[in-house]
């Protein structure tokens, strides 16, 4: 599959809605392509994968993973999100950038190199439920892939190798008060109780700052309280999004927070820790040889839940993800196909 065929495949993928948990249509498209090129196809739920034709257990195995799901359309699209449109060298459509470009460029590379005798085995995986970190995504199939020595996780990085990425922890926080009539000096206002803790989340700075990922970042992203204008609210619930660098674990961050705030805090998960790979790893060194400069990524991906060394890399720009009128440039896909083949073919 050349780059032009990869672009045409991406148009088919855009035209097939695939929100998290509903990726079956796109999984079927990927399976059909693999079968057409005479690769064995394995499928579990909406995850689909295949191995190199000359798979050799004595060689190291490299995983090419790109997620098939998208977020739901948001913002004010000026075109139909599910109708691929090419304009001014850009392909518009939901999932084009996140992460359709990685799907088709990795798949094109796999179809080419999976037929050849190269230094490593290749496994291509189109994974489900990445956007919502669902239990039926990559975590559910990773044990069935066999021993994986290294993974390339396809995400829009401008084809720069992201050798570290921030972890994610989301907290639901509950400030407690006492209901009363707003016209009288009654009750304890839970909103006022929450304000002190919210200000702490806004101003506190963890001391360990990463060279690659910078500081831990905490953002209050939602707040809910009150029922009637004349009732002092007894409960105020707010949500905190926390992006953790590789110098901390999520548990360490949680323990620190618990020692500083008075509200009840409930973590949704501790599982999405920060991840990183050594700059001296052969794959990272190979990227540098090709002129691809490593960096640290502030966003979270499948790297957070896979139990092997990994690196995030793919065409596109993370700033376009989850936005209206999402697009990827056609030359980004062509460049990615060429770079992936250079990266893995040697």
């Amino acid at each position: 599959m050349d780059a032009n065929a990869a672009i045409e495949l991406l148009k088919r993928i855009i035209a097939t809605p695939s929100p998290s948990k509903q990726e079956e249509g796109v999984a079927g498209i990927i399976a059909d392509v693999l079968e057409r090129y005479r690769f064995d196809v394995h499928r579990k739920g909406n995850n689909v994968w295949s191995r190199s034709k000359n798979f050799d257990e004595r060689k190291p195995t490299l995983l090419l993973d790109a997620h098939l799901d998208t977020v739901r359309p948001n913002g004010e699209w000026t075109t139909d999100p599910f109708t691929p449109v090419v304009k001014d060298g850009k392909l518009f459509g939901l999932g084009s950038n996140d992460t359709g470009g990685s799907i088709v460029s990795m798949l094109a590379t796999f179809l080419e190199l999976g037929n050849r005798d190269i230094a490593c085995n290749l496994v291509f995986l189109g994974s489900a439920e990445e956007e919502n970190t669902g239990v039926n995504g990559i975590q559910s199939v990773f044990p069935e892939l066999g021993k994986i020595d290294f993974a390339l996780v396809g995400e829009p990085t401008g084809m720069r190798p992201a050798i570290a990425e921030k972890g994610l922890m989301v907290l639901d926080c509950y400030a407690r008060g006492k209901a009363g009539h707003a016209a009288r000096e009654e009750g304890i206002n839970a909103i006022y109780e929450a304000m002190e803790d919210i200000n702490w989340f806004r101003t506190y700075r963890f001391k360990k700052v990463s060279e690659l990922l910078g500081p831990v970042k905490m953002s209050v992203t939602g707040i809910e309280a009150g029922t009637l204008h004349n009732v002092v609210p007894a409960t105020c619930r707010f949500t905190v999004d926390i992006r953790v660098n590789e110098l901390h674990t999520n548990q360490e961050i949680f323990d620190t927070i618990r020692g500083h705030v008075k509200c009840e805090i409930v973590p949704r998960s501790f599982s999405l820790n920060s991840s990183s790979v050594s700059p001296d790893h052969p794959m990272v060194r190979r990227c540098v040889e090709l002129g691809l400069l490593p960096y640290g990524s502030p966003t979270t991906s499948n790297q957070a839940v896979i139990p092997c060394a990994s690196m995030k890399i793919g065409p596109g720009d993370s700033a376009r993800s989850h936005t209206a009128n999402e697009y990827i440039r056609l030359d980004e896909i062509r460049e990615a196909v060429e770079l992936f083949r250079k990266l893995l073919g040697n």
Side-chain angles (χ1 to χ4, degrees):
M1 177 187 291
D2 62 16
N4 290 330
I7 291 168
E8 292 305 309
L9 176 60
L10 180 52
K11 292 178 182 178
R12 291 181 60 198
I13 290 172
I14 291 170
T16 307
S18 56
S20 299
K21 299 182 181 291
Q22 299 176 37
E23 309 92 344
E24 58 273 8
V26 171
I29 290 172
I30 300 300
D32 288 344
V33 172
L34 289 167
E35 289 175 352
R36 179 154 39 94
Y37 281 82
R38 301 183 184 279
F39 283 88
D40 292 336
V41 177
H42 306 271
R43 186 164 174 175
K44 181 177 182 180
N46 294 332
N47 303 277
V48 58
W49 69 95
S50 184
R51 293 181 171 190
S52 303
K53 290 183 178 178
N54 299 315
F55 198 93
D56 185 345
E57 298 287 353
R58 296 169 296 180
K59 293 180 178 180
T61 298
L62 178 72
L63 174 67
L64 302 175
D65 166 60
H67 67 85
L68 305 180
D69 60 322
T70 70
V71 297
R72 295 185 181 276
N74 56 68
E76 297 181 357
W77 281 76
T78 58
T79 61
D80 178 5
F82 304 111
T83 300
V85 175
V86 175
K87 183 179 180 181
D88 298 328
K90 301 172 182 176
L91 174 55
F92 292 85
L94 183 64
S96 56
N97 180 77
D98 184 19
T99 192
S102 291
I103 294 172
V104 298
S105 56
M106 284 183 160
L107 181 58
T109 302
F110 174 79
L111 296 175
E112 169 71 22
L113 299 183
N115 277 311
R116 288 170 41 186
D117 183 18
I118 61 175
C120 62
N121 301 308
L122 295 179
V123 175
F124 172 83
L125 169 65
S127 54
E129 298 188 20
E130 188 273 348
E131 294 290 3
N132 66 345
T133 319
V135 296
N136 295 315
I138 193 171
Q139 298 174 83
S140 69
V141 299
F142 203 90
E144 301 186 29
L145 302 179
K147 183 177 180 294
I148 302 295
D149 295 282
F150 195 82
L152 295 183
V153 177
E155 290 284 352
T157 70
M159 287 305 291
R160 291 183 63 191
I163 63 173
E165 71 168 19
K166 282 189 172 179
L168 170 64
M169 181 169 58
V170 180
L171 303 180
D172 292 308
C173 305
Y174 301 87
R176 307 297 184 185
K178 183 179 180 181
H181 199 296
R184 296 187 290 270
E185 295 298 324
E186 294 180 351
I188 300 172
N189 195 317
I191 295 176
Y192 298 158
E193 295 296 302
M195 286 172 63
E196 183 178 345
D197 287 342
I198 290 174
N199 188 58
W200 181 88
F201 280 112
R202 185 173 70 90
T203 58
Y204 185 81
R205 300 293 180 266
F206 288 88
K207 293 181 180 179
K208 296 179 182 179
V209 178
S210 165
E211 292 184 5
L212 281 169
L213 297 174
V216 173
K217 187 176 186 299
M218 299 190 291
S219 305
V220 176
T221 55
I223 186 168
E224 181 180 8
T227 54
L228 298 171
H229 76 89
N230 58 356
V231 177
V232 173
T235 303
C236 178
R237 173 186 174 273
F238 60 96
T239 302
V240 186
D241 177 291
I242 305 173
R243 304 292 169 151
V244 183
N245 64 30
E246 82 279 17
L247 304 179
H248 300 272
T249 66
N250 288 351
Q251 182 68 58
E252 290 170 350
I253 297 296
F254 178 78
D255 291 342
T256 299
I257 293 169
R258 189 166 52 183
H260 284 82
V261 301
K262 60 185 179 181
C263 63
E264 176 189 354
I265 53 175
V266 180
R268 296 185 185 178
S269 172
F270 287 124
S271 64
L272 301 179
N273 284 290
S274 176
S275 60
S276 63
V277 63
S278 169
D280 293 325
H281 191 282
M283 184 61 71
V284 180
R285 293 204 309 268
R286 177 64 176 151
C287 286
V288 173
E289 289 173 2
L290 293 173
L292 308 176
L293 300 179
Y295 78 109
S297 169
T299 58
T300 305
S301 71
N302 274 339
Q303 282 186 285
V305 296
I306 58 177
C308 70
S310 61
M311 184 178 77
K312 185 162 64 178
I313 186 171
D317 185 338
S318 180
R320 302 177 204 147
S321 301
H322 304 184
T323 63
N325 301 322
E326 177 185 351
Y327 71 88
I328 191 166
R329 296 199 316 268
L330 301 183
D331 60 356
E332 290 176 320
I333 297 175
R334 296 187 179 102
E335 178 188 34
V337 172
E338 180 181 356
L339 283 174
F340 275 131
R341 287 175 177 171
K342 287 181 178 178
L343 181 63
L344 306 181
N346 184 356

